[in-house]
Amino acid sequence: MRKKSITKFSYLTNSILFLITGLTIIIFKTKYLNIFHMITSLSITILGSVTLILNIIKAKKIKDISISLSTLIIGIFFYNNKKKFLTIFPITFGIYMLINGLIKLITYIIFKEKENKNYYSILIGSLVDFIFSFIMIKSPSKNINNLANILGIYLILFSITYFKDFIKECYPNKFLYKEKRGIRITLPTIISALIPYKVLLKINKMLKSNQKISNYINNNVSGKIDLEIFIHVKDTNIGKFGHADLYFENTVYSYGCYDESTKKFFELIGDGTLFEIKGKEKYINFCTNNSDKTIFAFGITLTNKEKLKIKKEIKKIENDTYEWNPAENKENCYATLLQKKTKAKFYKFKQSNYKIYFLLFTNCVKLIDNILGVTGSDLLKINGVITPGTYYDFLEKEYKRKNSNVIAKSIYTKYDNYL
């Protein structure tokens, strides 16, 4: 049996804790904010002090010592300036809402020509975000209580998500295979985006010290793996946020902007491109050795009905494509190298939303989520971007559940394959 760490009791406990915390924040705002200020400022001060001492003892670089010293100074400043400390959070939240609003506005501008009514809701969402952002940034001190209410409501909704998982564990037969998607409150994008990279750091540390990584993998699969989701991550600036693709019926499907000549707006936008590779061995070898990536592979078991739905969705996507040859660009880019090494076939889109790749909306995870979504996958975000990190967090939790169709996890590195 595979190792599990999430039980019915832990789901129920987490649900109750998040509910109590959320209600406490809403009801006792002043007391909570005072405690929050004290704990946070002292934590920053202690962190700065400890790292500064360690960096001096270990004779670290001036850069590391400067960062530790800055952390210590910030902690002391926050401790002695509670009002300024508390106003930072409404401003930070306002900036976060502003970024969300900009993402939605750009999404609307890119896709408005599709005349899809759904995109008007994106425009309305953008305007709402801009209004909230303006209110928070303009009068941060007056909106501390409002921010506390928002945080409290978010935690209450988070507790509902955990309670739903508790019910699923109690009555698995009613929820394991379903027709419609649910809504799942996920971690904020800014937190979830770097989850795969944090796991990568742990794996690398274990490999260097020759430790076992059995807690991260599964050696005894009970059930047939019908589909795999690959989450890629590497130790580079953009690589830390990861990439995702799907392996189904001996074919790897991956979506992105692989035509370098079409990239614009800081490489956020370009021609959407799909590639397909028969078999996964050459592709995994290419990613781990040529691209120096670590891949986390999650194996999923499906019913015959679900497999038919996925085939139909993939066929629907393929019907809107035409073949594209990376060699047309006459440059030694990632796509041409991948084509040579794996015999990958590349396709561009005729008219669907995938025609335009937008890192913050129609990205690699969007295609996978749309394909897997026909089975009733619960990862449907109310707001913001679905990142590879968000998907990793979702799959990891599903893998740890006792009654889940995510039944396997493997890790592939350039050093070895942990199957």
Side-chain angles (χ1 to χ4, degrees):
M1 292 293 291
R2 55 191 166 133
K3 185 175 180 179
K4 294 291 179 181
S5 60
I6 300 182
T7 63
K8 287 184 284 188
F9 177 75
S10 63
Y11 276 124
L12 183 60
T13 303
N14 285 331
S15 176
I16 294 170
L17 287 175
F18 279 120
L19 178 62
I20 292 173
T21 305
L23 290 173
T24 302
I25 292 172
I26 292 172
I27 297 169
F28 304 103
K29 297 181 185 68
T30 305
K31 289 182 180 180
Y32 167 78
L33 291 171
N34 288 335
I35 294 171
F36 178 66
H37 162 254
M38 183 70 69
I39 293 174
T40 305
S41 58
L42 285 176
S43 298
I44 294 172
T45 303
I46 294 169
L47 176 65
S49 303
V50 173
T51 54
L52 180 61
I53 294 169
L54 291 175
N55 286 336
I56 292 173
I57 293 173
K58 295 180 180 179
K60 291 279 188 175
K61 295 179 181 179
I62 295 296
K63 180 183 176 182
D64 296 322
I65 294 174
S66 299
I67 292 172
S68 299
L69 182 60
S70 299
T71 304
L72 174 60
I73 293 171
I74 290 170
I76 295 171
F77 176 79
F78 281 161
Y79 182 79
N80 291 298
N81 295 272
K82 183 173 75 173
K83 189 174 180 180
K84 290 183 179 180
F85 168 80
L86 292 176
T87 57
I88 285 174
F89 290 92
I91 292 173
T92 303
F93 183 75
I95 294 171
Y96 178 74
M97 294 297 288
L98 177 63
I99 293 171
N100 263 340
L102 287 171
I103 290 171
K104 290 175 185 176
L105 181 60
I106 294 170
T107 301
Y108 171 75
I109 292 171
I110 292 173
F111 295 100
K112 66 177 182 178
E113 61 188 37
K114 301 292 181 185
E115 296 182 357
N116 188 328
K117 292 182 180 179
N118 292 332
Y119 289 108
Y120 288 107
S121 64
I122 293 176
L123 178 61
I124 293 170
S126 174
L127 294 174
V128 171
D129 286 342
F130 284 141
I131 292 170
F132 269 100
S133 173
F134 176 77
I135 292 171
M136 289 290 176
I137 295 174
K138 185 176 182 295
S139 305
S141 59
K142 295 179 181 178
N143 285 287
I144 295 172
N145 287 340
N146 291 334
L147 183 59
N149 286 333
I150 292 171
L151 178 59
I153 292 169
Y154 174 80
L155 291 175
I156 291 171
L157 292 174
F158 212 63
S159 76
I160 293 172
T161 296
Y162 271 98
F163 188 73
K164 282 172 62 180
D165 289 332
F166 166 70
I167 298 298
K168 285 180 185 178
E169 287 298 290
C170 292
Y171 304 99
N173 293 331
K174 293 185 178 181
F175 292 94
L176 186 56
Y177 302 108
K178 55 189 180 176
E179 299 294 325
K180 295 182 180 179
R181 305 192 74 176
I183 293 177
R184 171 174 291 268
I185 304 300
T186 61
L187 291 171
T189 302
I190 198 169
I191 296 174
S192 64
L194 288 173
I195 287 177
Y197 179 64
K198 290 178 182 178
V199 179
L200 171 65
L201 293 179
K202 289 182 181 179
I203 297 298
N204 287 343
K205 188 176 180 180
M206 288 180 173
L207 290 172
K208 287 179 181 177
S209 58
N210 295 318
Q211 294 182 36
K212 293 182 179 180
I213 57 173
S214 56
N215 288 338
Y216 290 90
I217 61 173
N218 170 42
N219 292 312
N220 299 300
V221 180
S222 55
K224 181 186 175 185
I225 297 174
D226 298 301
L227 180 149
E228 285 183 275
I229 301 230
F230 300 147
I231 307 291
H232 306 231
V233 64
K234 63 184 296 187
D235 196 4
T236 61
N237 290 334
I238 194 68
K240 292 176 182 178
F241 295 96
H243 175 71
D245 36 41
L246 180 146
Y247 178 67
F248 178 66
E249 294 195 338
N250 200 41
T251 303
V252 175
Y253 300 91
S254 184
Y255 174 77
C257 180
Y258 298 104
D259 186 350
E260 301 287 338
S261 66
T262 66
K263 289 184 177 180
K264 52 189 175 182
F265 197 59
F266 306 104
E267 299 191 353
L268 293 177
I269 300 171
D271 284 358
T273 316
L274 173 74
F275 73 69
E276 298 180 0
I277 299 172
K278 293 299 179 184
K280 65 179 181 179
E281 289 75 18
K282 288 183 179 180
Y283 178 59
I284 290 174
N285 183 63
F286 175 85
C287 292
T288 54
N289 291 289
N290 290 71
S291 300
D292 198 21
K293 293 179 179 178
T294 293
I295 297 177
F296 302 97
F298 291 89
I300 300 172
T301 184
L302 302 167
T303 64
N304 290 330
K305 189 175 182 180
E306 287 175 324
K307 283 188 280 187
L308 287 173
K309 285 184 175 182
I310 287 176
K311 287 180 186 178
K312 185 178 178 181
E313 185 64 24
I314 290 175
K315 192 66 179 175
K316 177 183 172 184
I317 292 170
E318 289 177 330
N319 287 339
D320 186 52
T321 65
Y322 61 93
E323 194 162 352
W324 171 70
N325 184 5
E328 292 174 5
N329 287 347
K330 297 180 180 178
E331 55 182 76
N332 190 23
C333 62
Y334 177 87
T336 55
L337 185 60
L338 179 66
Q339 189 180 53
K340 289 176 184 177
K341 295 284 185 179
T342 66
K343 296 183 179 179
K345 290 186 177 181
F346 288 81
Y347 304 88
K348 286 192 177 184
F349 292 85
K350 299 173 185 175
Q351 60 182 11
S352 71
N353 293 338
Y354 299 119
K355 183 177 181 179
I356 301 173
Y357 171 86
F358 179 31
L359 179 65
L360 304 175
F361 186 69
T362 46
N363 56 18
C364 58
V365 184
K366 189 77 173 179
L367 179 124
I368 293 172
D369 190 52
N370 286 343
I371 292 174
L372 196 59
V374 298
T375 68
S377 164
D378 250 356
L379 187 56
L380 180 60
K381 294 204 68 175
I382 295 175
N383 189 25
V385 184
I386 302 180
T387 65
T390 307
Y391 227 82
Y392 177 93
D393 183 57
F394 167 70
L395 292 168
E396 178 71 14
K397 286 176 180 175
E398 286 295 301
Y399 168 67
K400 289 179 179 178
R401 280 180 52 212
K402 182 179 180 182
N403 299 301
S404 167
N405 61 343
V406 181
I407 62 170
K409 180 180 179 181
S410 306
I411 298 176
Y412 301 94
T413 73
K414 65 179 180 180
Y415 305 106
D416 202 349
N417 292 338
Y418 299 88
L419 301 172

